Amino acid sequence: MSVDVHVILNRGKLAKPQQWRQAIIDNGFALELETGYEPEEHEGYLLCTYRDADSGFEYYFSELEEGMLDDEIMQRIGTRDCVVTLTAHGDTNGLICATIAAAVLCAISGGLLLDDASEQLFVEADDAVEYARAQEAALSGG
């Protein structure tokens, strides 16, 4: 089973890997992202460490194209023009990593978070870090 977590944002606000990694640490998460990739070019697995254990998720960047989502969702998205998709495959730690990483990216980019595993359709940037904390606690059983 795979789960996608999406961050819809403006291309100009896409964080550099080191900035993203530091923001995750600054928000108190025990997650360290790999930083040796180009955010607009990389496709595939990103290695990370969560609570001293190796983990990771797949990372994909794409432009948001007209017709990709229904009109109601496109109206909510506004002028945001790109999407970063983080995909976790059947591993709880991978899902926690993807959720934390996506939420922090959402927060620092003024994006919108869409989580396939959640009942909540959108998470706003201002709520994203607290959303990640709640999801981390629920998924890790604590």
Side-chain angles (χ1 to χ4, degrees), residues 7-141:
V7 180
I8 299 173
L9 61 133
N10 287 316
R11 173 182 248 129
K13 294 186 177 183
L14 181 62
K16 301 284 186 220
Q18 190 60 41
Q19 293 169 315
W20 188 13
R21 177 184 174 140
Q22 191 60 50
I24 291 168
I25 293 167
D26 290 348
N27 277 286
F29 292 105
L31 173 65
E32 292 185 34
L33 285 183
E34 166 186 352
T35 59
Y37 66 97
E38 291 296 324
E40 292 185 34
E41 297 172 17
H42 181 79
E43 287 190 359
Y45 198 74
L46 275 183
L47 181 65
C48 58
T49 304
Y50 176 68
R51 296 186 176 173
D52 297 322
D54 287 344
S55 192
F57 48 82
E58 291 182 32
Y59 171 100
Y60 301 95
F61 172 86
S62 62
E63 292 184 24
L64 195 60
E65 297 176 13
E66 194 170 321
M68 217 173 178
L69 301 167
D70 69 38
D71 289 341
E72 183 179 327
I73 293 174
M74 289 301 289
Q75 187 173 19
R76 178 83 183 265
I77 289 169
T79 61
R80 295 173 182 94
D81 58 0
C82 295
V83 61
V84 171
T85 300
L86 307 181
T87 303
H89 294 284
D91 168 4
T92 301
N93 276 357
L95 180 55
I96 292 170
C97 292
T99 301
I100 291 169
V104 172
L105 180 60
C106 177
I108 64 176
S109 68
L112 285 174
L113 180 88
L114 286 84
D115 185 344
D116 284 355
S118 175
E119 294 176 13
Q120 190 173 349
L121 181 58
F122 288 107
V123 178
E124 298 285 341
D126 291 344
D127 301 323
V129 171
E130 288 308 313
Y131 173 80
R133 289 190 208 296
Q135 291 299 310
E136 179 183 29
L139 291 167
S140 65

